[in-house]
C-alpha cells in the first residue's frame, strides 16, 4: 500500500497511503491486549501461539506489557524468557520503529510510523481520550470526505447541512462533525486525540456516535456545540489529506490529492487544519 501500487490508487480507495491508514485503523480501534499477538500480523506472518506463550511468560517475569515493547524490557525479564530467538524476533519491530521515530523524514511517513509504533509497542499520551467504537459503523471512509471539510473550513455549508463542534474542557475545539453533508456523523479532529492508547493526529477522520442524553452547550440551525464528553463512541477511519502540511500533500496522498485538484475541491492545496479549527473557534465564541 505504501508503495502506491496501482490497484491501491483507485477512485474509491484514494491512494495507497490512505488505504494503509484504513488498514491500520482496524487495529487502532481494538484495545491493546498484552497477550493477543494479532497486531503483529500488520508486519507479516508470525507464530501467534508461540508469541502468546511468550507474552504470558513475560508477564509472569514482571513485564506487564506481555509481548509488546520487549526491546524496552529490563535484562532480568529477558533472561527469564527461554525462547531467545523468538524474543529477538518480537523485539525487532519495536526497536526498528523506535529508530524510525528519531529519524528525519517526510511528515506523512513519520505520522504513519508513529501510529504503527504505538499499535505494536503501546504508547502513552496525554491527549483527550475518546471511547472506542468496536462495531463497524454505517459510516464509510470515502476518499471524497475532504470535499465537505474543506468547504466547512472556509465557512461554506451546503443547503440542508449542519456542523457540530466538540470542545474540550478548556473550551478549545477538538472535533468538527458534519450532518447531512454526505454521510452524517463523519468528523475530523482538530487536535491530537487518543483512542485505545494510540494518539491520533489532527486531521484524522472519525465516525461518531453522540450520547443523546447529553445536552448541547449551545444549538442553532447551523448545528450545535458539544462537550467532548457527549461523544458516546468514536471510531478512527483513516487519515485525511489535512493531516499533513499542504506542501507535502502531493507526495503523500498522490492520486487522491490530484483528484481533489482536478475535481475543483475548495483550496485543497492551501487549506490547513488551522482553518477548520478557526471556523470551530468562531462557533464556540458565538455560543459563549
Amino acid at each position: 500500500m505504501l508503495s502506491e501500487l496501482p490497484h491501491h490508487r483507485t477512485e474509491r480507495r484514494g491512494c495507497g497511503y490512505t488505504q494503509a491508514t484504513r488498514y491500520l485503523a482496524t487495529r487502532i480501534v481494538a484495545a491493546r491486549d498484552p497477550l493477543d499477538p494479532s497486531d503483529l500480523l500488520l508486519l507479516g506472518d508470525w507464530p501467534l501461539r508461540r508469541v502468546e506463550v511468550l507474552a504470558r511468560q513475560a508477564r509472569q517475569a514482571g513485564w506487564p506489557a506481555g509481548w509488546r515493547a520487549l526491546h524496552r524490557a529490563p535484562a532480568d525479564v529477558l533472561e527469564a524468557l527461554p525462547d531467545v530467538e523468538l524474543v529477538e524476533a518480537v523485539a525487532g519491530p519495536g526497536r526498528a520503529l523506535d529508530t524510525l521515530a528519531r529519524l528525519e523524514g517526510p511528515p506523512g511517513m513519520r505520522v504513519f510510523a508513529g501510529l504503527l509504533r504505538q499499535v505494536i509497542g503501546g504508547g502513552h499520551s496525554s491527549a483527550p481520550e475518546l471511547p472506542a467504537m468496536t462495531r463497524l459503523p454505517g459510516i464509510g471512509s470515502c476518499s471524497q470526505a475532504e470535499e465537505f471539510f474543506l468547504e466547512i473550513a472556509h465557512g461554506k455549508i451546503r443547503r440542508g447541512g449542519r456542523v457540530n463542534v466538540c470542545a474540550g474542557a478548556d473550551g478549545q475545539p477538538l472535533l468538527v462533525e458534519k450532518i447531512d453533508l454526505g454521510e452524517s456523523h463523519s468528523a475530523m479532529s482538530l487536535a491530537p486525540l487518543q483512542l485505545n492508547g494510540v494518539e491520533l493526529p489532527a486531521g484524522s477522520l472519525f465516525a461518531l456516535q453522540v450520547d443523546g442524553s447529553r445536552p448541547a452547550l449551545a444549538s442553532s440551525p447551523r448545528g450545535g456545540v458539544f462537550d467532548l464528553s457527549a461523544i458516546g463512541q468514536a471510531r478512527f477511519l483513516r487519515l485525511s489529506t489535512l493531516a499533513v502540511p499542504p506542501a507535502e500533500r502531493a507526495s503523500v496522498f498522490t492520486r487522491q490529492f490530484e483528484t481533489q485538484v482536478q475535481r475543483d475541491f475548495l483550496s485543497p492545496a492551501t487549506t490547513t487544519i488551522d482553518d477548520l479549527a478557526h471556523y470551530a473557534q468562531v462557533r464556540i465564541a458565538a455560543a459563549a
Side-chain angles (χ1 to χ4, degrees):
M1 293 177 188
L2 293 174
S3 296
E4 295 291 339
L5 297 177
H7 60 280
H8 291 297
R9 297 178 60 179
T10 67
E11 181 176 349
R12 187 168 184 274
R13 293 177 175 179
C15 68
Y17 185 85
T18 302
Q19 185 69 354
T21 67
R22 284 193 187 100
Y23 184 63
L24 190 58
T26 63
R27 296 294 178 183
I28 291 174
V29 298
R32 310 277 76 75
D33 187 335
L35 298 179
D36 182 359
S38 59
D39 284 341
L40 283 170
L41 295 177
L42 288 164
L43 304 173
D45 294 327
W46 288 81
L48 297 184
R49 289 186 179 180
R50 284 176 61 199
V51 177
E52 185 177 348
V53 170
L54 176 66
R56 294 184 185 279
Q57 292 170 338
R59 283 174 65 83
Q60 290 169 0
W63 186 243
W67 65 270
R68 299 179 190 275
L70 274 179
H71 62 292
R72 302 189 202 120
D76 62 313
V77 170
L78 298 177
E79 290 169 0
L81 303 177
D83 196 336
V84 177
E85 181 180 358
L86 185 60
V87 168
E88 183 58 27
V90 171
R95 189 180 297 116
L97 288 167
D98 280 359
T99 300
L100 278 176
R102 294 191 293 268
L103 297 177
E104 290 294 329
M109 292 301 105
R110 288 206 310 272
V111 169
F112 188 86
L115 295 179
L116 184 59
R117 178 191 183 205
Q118 294 176 80
V119 170
I120 297 298
H124 302 282
S125 172
S126 60
E129 188 166 6
L130 295 171
M133 180 190 298
T134 55
R135 62 173 178 79
L136 283 172
I139 302 168
S141 58
C142 172
S143 61
Q144 304 305 306
E146 282 89 337
E147 181 173 14
F148 297 100
F149 289 107
L150 288 168
E151 292 175 358
I152 294 168
H154 293 278
K156 178 183 177 182
I157 313 299
R158 299 187 189 188
R159 181 175 297 179
R162 291 178 291 126
V163 177
N164 292 330
V165 174
C166 289
D170 59 358
Q172 292 302 304
L174 297 177
L175 284 160
V176 165
E177 177 192 31
K178 58 184 178 67
I179 308 292
D180 295 328
L181 294 167
E183 290 184 307
S184 293
H185 306 298
S186 173
M188 188 170 294
S189 62
L190 306 174
L193 294 170
Q194 183 181 172
L195 193 68
N196 284 326
V198 176
E199 183 175 296
L200 298 159
S204 295
L205 191 67
F206 288 89
L208 299 185
Q209 178 182 306
V210 176
D211 183 351
S213 66
R214 301 269 187 166
L217 301 175
S219 60
S220 76
R222 293 183 300 169
V225 175
F226 293 85
D227 185 81
L228 192 66
S229 62
I231 297 176
Q233 293 182 322
R235 187 178 180 96
F236 172 58
L237 300 176
R238 64 171 175 86
L239 294 181
S240 76
T241 51
L242 290 168
V244 300
E248 304 293 335
R249 288 174 193 162
S251 60
V252 174
F253 287 91
T254 60
R255 181 57 185 162
Q256 182 169 339
F257 177 75
E258 293 169 10
T259 299
Q260 291 180 2
V261 174
Q262 291 167 1
R263 293 191 174 184
D264 203 25
F265 282 19
L266 185 53
S267 303
T270 58
T271 304
T272 68
I273 202 68
D274 288 340
D275 295 322
L276 191 58
H278 176 71
Y279 166 84
Q281 286 168 339
V282 170
R283 286 283 306 279
I284 291 172

